[in-house]
Amino acid sequence: MALLDANHLTKTYKNVNAIQDVSFSLEHGKCVALLGPNGSGKTTTLRMLAGFIKPTSGDIAFDQDSLTKDFRNFVGYLPQFPVFHNWMTGKEFLIYVGQLAKLSKDEAIKRADELLELVNLKEVRKLKISKYSGGMKQRLGIAQALIHAPKLIILDEPASALDPIGRREVLNLMRELKKDATILFSTHILNDAEEVSDEILLLNEGHIIEQGSMHELESVQNTVTLKLAFSEEPKFIEDRLKEIESVFKVNQIDKDYLLTVHDLQTARKQLLEVVYQENWQLTKFEVAKTSLEDLFMKAVKK
Ligand code: ADP
Ligand code: MG
């Protein structure tokens, strides 16, 4: 079976329905993004999976073969707002966390060294955490979540609050981790989801409104916007573009032509053929917007 199946999860806080009838599976070895605007229920979902809060109804089934005796060893969790002991060094912190996770002192030291290497903090291991940048702190937080080598890594908005450099560091680390781990992470930033995840769960107002691989989600909508520009405006260009089978909408904004097309591969081929036949002087050919962006914007704007 999948590593985990969430079945009809619902979570109600007093009179707030934070999560309503949410179901999904996490396959072994996948990196899955829980994508949604603020308040859509991401943290609530992750906290239920990590065992911090109980669903009001519904259940979570884990792959029995992967389950460890102590459930806490099954998941590693990075909260949205992690708290560090800032007076400790990075290495001291990981040794401390290791001992909390019931490792012996020697094991904890060994594990701390391995993790510092993995998250690329070896050089600053003796520096106090208070001196760390945002990206370093998040990487230390990820190391902390990995201390007991969990089967499932849950990260709540690991890159969202960081500056571009920190964000890059964390996304690169996630790309490394996903080679041999199952990761579920939340984000409200579409680009972060697109960049590292194999699959997306799109959450809005407590419901999953779409789920699947990036490719599947794009083909659900089945449209892509292309942006074209020419050094000289060709004659009858609009009519000629509209004749192309895979193009079903043409808009002009300043010098750019925005084409809505059904299937990117076919559209590209058909368009370039026409450009070649008509000898148009093409200066720009870009995929301007994916349908996932449209989908996400609709969800956020509601
Ligand atoms: P996200 O992580 O996507 O921003 P949350 O899971 O934190 O969303 O919150 C989902 C909804 O549940 C929001 O409306 C939020 O205000 C509400 N909520 C979250 N935690 C609590 C709580 N402890 N008590 C009451 N309402 C809560
Ligand atoms: Mg949250």
Side-chain angles (χ1 to χ4, degrees):
M1 71 173 273
L3 182 59
L4 172 162
D5 285 316
N7 302 308
H8 306 287
L9 291 181
T10 294
K11 179 71 190 178
T12 311
Y13 298 107
K14 288 194 183 129
N15 48 11
V16 180
N17 289 327
I19 285 294
Q20 292 172 64
D21 197 22
V22 160
S23 299
F24 60 88
S25 296
L26 284 185
E27 298 296 334
H28 290 266
K30 285 274 155 62
C31 178
V32 178
L34 186 61
L35 173 68
N38 289 329
S40 56
K42 302 182 295 296
T43 296
T44 302
T45 305
L46 297 185
R47 287 176 58 83
M48 286 194 283
L49 297 181
F52 292 114
I53 52 174
K54 278 209 164 73
T56 308
S57 63
D59 65 87
I60 303 163
F62 300 97
D63 176 9
Q64 291 303 319
D65 295 338
S66 304
L67 214 50
T68 33
K69 228 180 1 194
D70 185 347
F71 171 74
R72 283 171 301 180
N73 290 340
F74 177 79
V75 258
Y77 180 72
L78 173 69
Q80 186 167 2
F81 305 105
V83 179
F84 298 103
H85 297 312
N86 280 319
W87 67 89
M88 288 184 177
T89 68
K91 182 164 176 177
E92 283 166 355
F93 179 72
L94 289 179
I95 294 171
Y96 162 78
V97 172
Q99 288 183 297
L100 284 182
K102 305 258 161 50
L103 299 181
S104 71
K105 177 102 194 222
D106 284 349
E107 285 167 341
I109 292 171
K110 186 162 167 275
R111 187 71 184 140
D113 283 331
E114 284 167 13
L115 290 170
L116 287 163
E117 177 99 46
L118 178 72
V119 304
N120 203 12
L121 289 175
K122 201 173 164 192
E123 277 170 25
V124 292
R125 67 190 183 282
K126 291 182 182 166
L127 218 61
K128 287 214 176 359
I129 300 171
S130 56
K131 298 269 194 303
Y132 280 17
S133 69
M136 288 177 186
K137 281 189 185 164
Q138 281 305 75
R139 285 183 282 137
L140 184 66
I142 292 174
Q144 161 277 131
L146 298 175
I147 199 88
H148 49 274
K151 287 282 184 329
L152 171 63
I153 306 169
I154 295 181
L155 309 172
D156 197 354
E157 307 241 10
S160 305
L162 300 174
D163 63 21
I165 295 171
R167 170 176 174 265
R168 178 66 26 231
E169 290 168 355
V170 167
L171 292 180
N172 286 348
L173 171 59
M174 287 173 68
R175 210 175 283 121
E176 273 307 303
L177 292 179
K178 72 179 245 190
K179 287 179 188 160
D180 39 29
T182 309
I183 303 178
L184 175 65
F185 74 102
S186 72
T187 180
H188 64 274
I189 301 166
L190 176 64
N191 278 333
D192 290 2
E194 282 184 316
E195 211 174 295
V196 291
S197 71
D198 305 311
E199 276 175 33
I200 289 183
L201 302 168
L202 186 55
L203 199 64
N204 189 41
E205 295 177 351
H207 297 275
I208 290 187
I209 54 171
E210 288 292 347
Q211 58 180 306
S213 67
M214 202 76 64
H215 183 73
E216 281 164 350
L217 287 183
E218 286 178 358
S219 57
V220 167
Q221 293 295 94
N222 210 20
T223 66
V224 178
T225 305
L226 294 175
K227 197 189 267 184
L228 274 65
F230 306 90
S231 58
E232 240 173 87
E233 184 159 324
K235 281 187 190 142
F236 311 117
I237 177 167
E238 213 160 319
D239 292 338
R240 190 71 183 90
L241 287 173
K242 280 181 182 157
E243 281 168 21
I244 299 170
E245 196 192 312
S246 54
V247 173
F248 68 94
K249 209 165 106 195
V250 179
N251 285 323
Q252 192 179 1
I253 298 178
D254 299 327
K255 295 199 154 147
D256 288 338
Y257 286 89
L258 294 182
L259 311 186
T260 311
V261 304
H262 275 302
D263 166 43
L264 180 58
Q265 304 306 333
T266 314
R268 193 196 329 250
K269 188 163 170 285
Q270 293 178 347
L271 268 162
L272 290 176
E273 272 166 17
V274 173
V275 168
Y276 181 72
Q277 278 165 18
E278 304 284 336
N279 198 22
W280 289 341
Q281 303 303 306
L282 191 65
T283 55
K284 187 188 281 178
F285 191 98
E286 294 172 4
V287 178
K289 209 165 58 163
T290 64
S291 54
L292 190 57
E293 196 170 332
D294 282 339
L295 198 67
F296 183 60
M297 290 317 287
K298 273 183 218 150
V300 178
K301 274 184 190 149
K302 253 197 196 159

